[in-house]
Amino acid sequence: MPERLSAREALALVTDDFTRLPGPAAGESGPNGPLAWTGYDASRARATARTGEEESVVVGRGTVGSTPAVLIAFEFGFLGGSLGERTGDRLEAAHTYARTHRLPVLSLVATGGSRMQEGMLALTQLQRVARQSALTRAAGLAQLAVLRDPTTGGGWATLGAGADVVLALPGAQVGFAGSRVRPPDADPAAYTAEAQVAAGTVDAVVPPGELRAAVALWLGLLTAPSAEPAPVPRALGAAGLPATGWDAVRRARDPERPRARAYLDAYFTRRAELGGDRGGGRDPDGMLCGFGSHDGRTIAYAAQTGTATRPAGYRSATRLIRLADALSVPVLTLVDTPGAANDAEAERQGVGAAIADLFTAVATARTPLTTLVIGEGGSGGALALAAPDNTWATPDSYFSVIAPELAAAILKRPADQVRATADQLRVRPQDLVALGVVRGIAGERTVSPPPHG
């Protein structure tokens, strides 16, 4: 079992200048709380004597790296970090302060869920917390959660899983069901931070000694809005244009051609990756998503890696674009896929719905999007990631309604007609410019991206 840190110890991991905010006035609830639960007042008094805290959360303001933030730290030693009415008062006050002062919210979560001694009034605090989180998100302010041991119940399902970015300490118990309410035969490994990373609901597990730097990076990246589009990356591969459509296809499929990670490394001085789709899946081999710093500006990115993109990859890109849109951060997308995964498992995982949702996210984004096709642009599985009015192409890329081989098969043409079909489809970068599908070729003399808005 990992070490269970107190609220103050958790705060010390990320900041040196925490200042506690004044607590809201306590409501009148009578002896032993709203249910007159025998011994409740005595339990709270013992919890205060043991922890030095007056409630299960400590709320204040501090600087992480160079970013001021509102900090919420749960004290698990105070009745298991459970949520009651007074906890809700403090959480609401924290979010209200964050919105008033335009600050991000960092929650260091360690909770066993809702407080039994307050019954349904404790459970309804989850609705209250969810509303405050929604108001903070609507205000364009970032929310980051760090999951400590344990993070279960409603605290996980609101402050934890409801945050924009979710980090966790190694070995932390994380799950909606707490240890005392799970089925007796439940696999304990499923209720861990590491399992939640694999399921795409936690972005990364971060050791305590690295937490301050990780949180500082994320807060710095998520609090730098910009109205200008992301600049088009420079082309890293071959410079000359392909002579034929089949030449374009062959160059895009060259295993030595620069891929997404090479472009991201060249474009960003630092970056942080989102880890999943928040729907139970990840596609780390097919889609890279996150935020990075380019020439001092924060740019969000979603980059295909050259493989067939899986449903979780499309959902991760949708999550990325919607988060960037909420925070007013411009987005760069890199298109490189032979197409969407088309196996039976992809269909069972809802590949069509995932692509549809990504098309919608791109179409409705208010933040500017920039797209560079860096390799294969295979059908709708590639187009879903492309900015409608600001897509560019590298000299060693192509974009096609479908792969030439499949187009020939659909048209009932023999295999020796594949090359001619590629020419007829007009897939070369220069053809795409002439057709108005892309705005220009990276590395050529091109106009600047259009102003946004």
Side-chain angles (χ1 to χ4, degrees), residues 121-220:
L121 290 175
L123 190 65
T124 59
Q125 300 309 304
L126 304 182
Q127 295 173 318
R128 188 179 182 188
V129 171
R131 173 170 170 74
Q132 291 303 312
S133 177
L135 291 172
T136 299
R137 181 167 292 109
L141 300 171
Q143 298 172 72
L144 179 66
V146 175
L147 311 182
R148 297 151 51 208
D149 184 62
T151 298
T152 60
W156 162 230
T158 51
L159 283 165
D164 299 320
V165 175
V166 183
L167 308 178
L169 296 179
Q173 178 186 171
V174 179
F176 186 64
S179 59
R180 298 184 181 182
V181 297
R182 297 171 194 157
D185 59 348
D187 178 8
Y191 301 87
T192 63
E194 289 76 7
Q196 297 291 351
V197 170
T201 53
V202 169
D203 292 300
V205 170
V206 183
E210 300 173 15
L211 187 62
R212 181 176 298 209
V215 172
L217 174 59
W218 271 114
L219 288 178

Side-chain angles (χ1 to χ4, degrees), residues 376-443:
E376 293 194 80
S379 195
L383 186 66
L385 201 60
D389 301 315
N390 194 22
T391 291
W392 303 69
T394 64
D396 51 357
S397 69
Y398 79 89
F399 221 146
S400 178
V401 62
I402 198 169
E405 297 93 336
L406 299 179
I410 291 171
L411 296 171
K412 299 182 180 180
R413 293 180 175 180
D416 61 6
Q417 291 296 305
V418 169
R419 296 189 179 193
T421 302
D423 286 335
Q424 286 182 285
L425 289 170
R426 298 189 66 186
V427 301
R428 300 176 303 169
Q430 59 266 45
D431 296 326
L432 300 173
V433 173
L435 291 169
V437 174
V438 304
R439 296 193 68 243
I441 299 171

Side-chain angles (χ1 to χ4, degrees), residues 231 267 269 293-297:
Y267 193 79
T269 54
S293 180
H294 174 80
D295 286 343
R297 297 175 57 207

